[in-house]
Amino acid sequence: MPETTDPGGRERYYLTTAIFYPSRQPALHSLFEAIGADALVRYRRLSGADTRFLTGMDEHSANVERAAVEQGIAPRDLVDPWADNWRSAFDRFGISYDRFMRTTDADHARASTEMVQRAMAAGDIYKGVYSGWYCPGDNEFKTDAQLVDGHCPEHPALELQWLEEQNWFFALSKYQEPLEALYRDNPSFCEPEHFRNEVLGWLREGLRDFSISRSGTNWGIPFPGDPEHRIYVWFDALTNYITGAGFPDDPKSFAKWWPADVHIIGKNITRFHCLYWPAMLMSAGLPLPKQVFAHGFMLDKGAKMSKTQGNVLDADSLVAQLGVDGVRYVVLREVPYDRDADVSLDGFLRRYNADLANDFGNLLNRTLNMVGRYLDGARPDPVSGELATAWQAAWQRYTTAVDGYLLHDALAAVWEFVGEANRFVDREQPWTLAKQAKSGDAEAERRLSTTLADLLEACRVVALAAAPFMPSVARRVHEQLAVDFPYQDNGSGGPALVDLAAWGGAASGGQVGTAEILFPRVEIEAA
C-alpha cells in the first residue's frame, strides 16, 4: 500500500511510465503504455490518494545526434519539436501527468551527475575498454547469445555497429548477491511472474558490468571529471525517476515521493529496470522502488509494431473514428496489460461497436428514454435487488484487477455487469409493466419504478468505474443522468470512489437529463 504522508493519513502514490525513446511523434503502441498508466493514476486519485505521475522522453540518443547532423541542425533543435509533439499527443489523450520529463532538463542533469558521483564514491565505477556489437535502436551492446541471425531481435531492420572504445563502467557484478537477496525476499518486485522469470534467468547466468559513458560526442550530460565523455543511457535515462521525485534539489519533495510505488514499463526493458536500476540505487544508498510492472506489446500478426517495420496504427486517425475515450477503452480492453496480444483496426472497431455503441450506449439511451416516457423523467431511488448483488461482485473483481494492473480484466468485469443490466431489461420488460401500470395495476407500477431506478443506478456506477479509463465519457454520462460528478478533469477532488460506487451511493430524487448518443456506431468495411 502507498505510504501516508500527512496528518490525515492520506495515501500518496507515485507512478512512472518508462521514459520514451525519442521519435517525431508517438504511435498507438507507444500511447498504450501511457494510457494504461493514466488509468491507474486516475483510479488512485478517485480513491483519494495524493498522486504523482511522471512520464517523458529520453533525448540523449545517438540516433538523435545522427539525424540532427544529417539535417544540419543542433540535436536540441531536433528534439524540441519532438517533445512538443509527444506532450501534445499525451494532452489530447487525457494523459494526466504531473511532469513530462525531458532528459535535457537542467535538474535532471544534476540528478544524473549526482548518481554517477555517488557510484564513484562507493567504488563502483572504473575505466576500461569495451568492444562489441551495438544496437542503435535501444542503445545497448549485444552479446552473441542475444543476436538472432546477426541482428538485434527487437530491431531486426537496423544494422548493428561494431564499437571498440574506452568507457567508464558500472560494477554491476558486485551486486549479484544483493540482487539475488532482493528477489528471494521480495519476488513481486518485478511483475508479472512470466517476465520476472526472464529476469531471474539473467541473474542466474551471472551479472556483467556495463558501460555508462561514451566519447566522441557533445550530445549528453558531461561525465563527472572526464569532459571527453558523456553519461551513457542508464545513469541518464533511469535516473529520471528520482529527478521527478525531487532528487537532489528538493529533499522535502524527494522524502515525500520516493520510493516510487510502481514503474510501468515495456517488457523489453526489464533487464535495465529490474537489475541495473536497483543496483544503481543500492550503490547510491537510495531506497528501491516498490515494484516494476512490465506490460506486453501490441502485435501485428505476431510481429512487434514499430515505425521501422511500417506496421503501426495511427492514433489520431483512430480518434477520428472512435473519439479519445473510445480509443482509450478499446486499447485497454483488447490488449491484456500483462502480455502480448495481436490487434487490428478491425478488432478495435468491432470492440467499440459491441461494448460501447451496443451494450453500454444502448443501455444508457433506452433507460433514459423509458424514464422520460414512463416516469415523466423523475428519478426513483434504487433498491437492493439482483442488479445490486451483481454489481457488488463486479466491483470486487474490478478493484482486484486494477490493484493487480490487469486493466483488461477490470473492464471485462464492468462490461459483464453491463450485459447483466441489459438482460435485466429484457427479463423485466418495462414497456409491458408500463402498459399494466396504466391499466391500474399497482404492483406493475411498483415494479416499473424499481426496475427503472435500478437501471439508472447501473448506468451511474458503470460510468464511475469507467471514469479512470474514459474520464470525459464518465462526466457526460453523469450529466445525462443529472447526477453530480464531483471530480475535476484529472480525477482529483470529491469523495472516495469506493463510496460513490456503492449501490445507492449518490443523492436521490430529481429529474434525469436528456439522452444523447455518446458512442455513434462506426461502419466496418467488409473484408
Side-chain angles (χ1 to χ4, degrees), residues 366 368-377:
R366 64 177 175 169
L368 286 169
N369 283 329
M370 287 188 294
V371 171
R373 185 180 306 123
Y374 304 143
L375 301 181
D376 294 325

Side-chain angles (χ1 to χ4, degrees), residues 259-316:
D261 289 271
V262 63
H263 296 318
I264 299 293
I265 65 167
K267 67 169 189 174
N268 59 323
I269 50 177
T270 50
R271 180 195 301 268
F272 315 118
H273 286 78
C274 301
L275 294 175
Y276 290 20
W277 181 226
M280 290 162 56
L281 290 167
M282 290 175 187
S283 177
L286 296 174
L288 307 190
K290 296 178 183 179
Q291 195 168 59
V292 177
F293 185 88
H295 64 77
F297 288 153
M298 290 184 182
L299 302 180
D300 174 37
K301 301 179 181 65
K304 180 184 175 183
M305 288 187 172
S306 72
K307 293 180 180 178
T308 55
Q309 298 188 48
N311 60 351
V312 302
L313 291 173
D314 181 71
D316 288 332

Side-chain angles (χ1 to χ4, degrees), residues 5 21 34 91 95 107 114-115 173 185 195-196 202 215 246 256 259 270 285 337 353 368 375 447 460 463 467 483 487:
T5 57
Y21 193 76
D91 292 344
I95 310 302
D107 63 339
E114 175 71 14
M115 282 292 286
S173 57
D185 299 338
F195 294 140
R196 178 171 70 247
W202 296 323
S215 60
K256 174 178 179 178
T270 50
Y337 213 54
N353 278 342
L368 286 169
L375 301 181
R447 284 182 56 199
R460 186 188 70 84
V483 176
Y487 301 111

Side-chain angles (χ1 to χ4, degrees), residues 83-132:
D84 289 342
N85 291 343
W86 275 72
R87 196 155 30 205
S88 295
F90 280 18
D91 292 344
R92 286 197 304 278
F93 279 84
I95 310 302
S96 57
Y97 56 86
D98 293 290
R99 178 170 177 182
F100 187 93
M101 173 72 65
R102 298 180 60 183
T103 53
T104 51
D105 290 342
D107 63 339
H108 177 67
R110 292 191 293 274
S112 295
T113 302
E114 175 71 14
M115 282 292 286
V116 172
Q117 290 173 332
R118 288 193 178 202
M120 284 180 163
D124 292 339
I125 290 180
Y126 63 92
K127 208 166 193 179
V129 175
Y130 193 94
S131 60

Side-chain angles (χ1 to χ4, degrees), residues 31-52:
L31 286 165
F32 167 63
E33 177 177 309
I35 293 170
D38 181 70
L40 290 165
V41 168
R42 286 178 182 271
Y43 171 75
R44 290 290 181 171
R45 289 198 195 106
L46 289 165
S47 301
D50 186 11
T51 61
R52 184 161 183 80

Side-chain angles (χ1 to χ4, degrees), residues 505-517:
S508 59
Q511 298 285 119
V512 300
T514 303
E516 297 177 6
I517 296 177

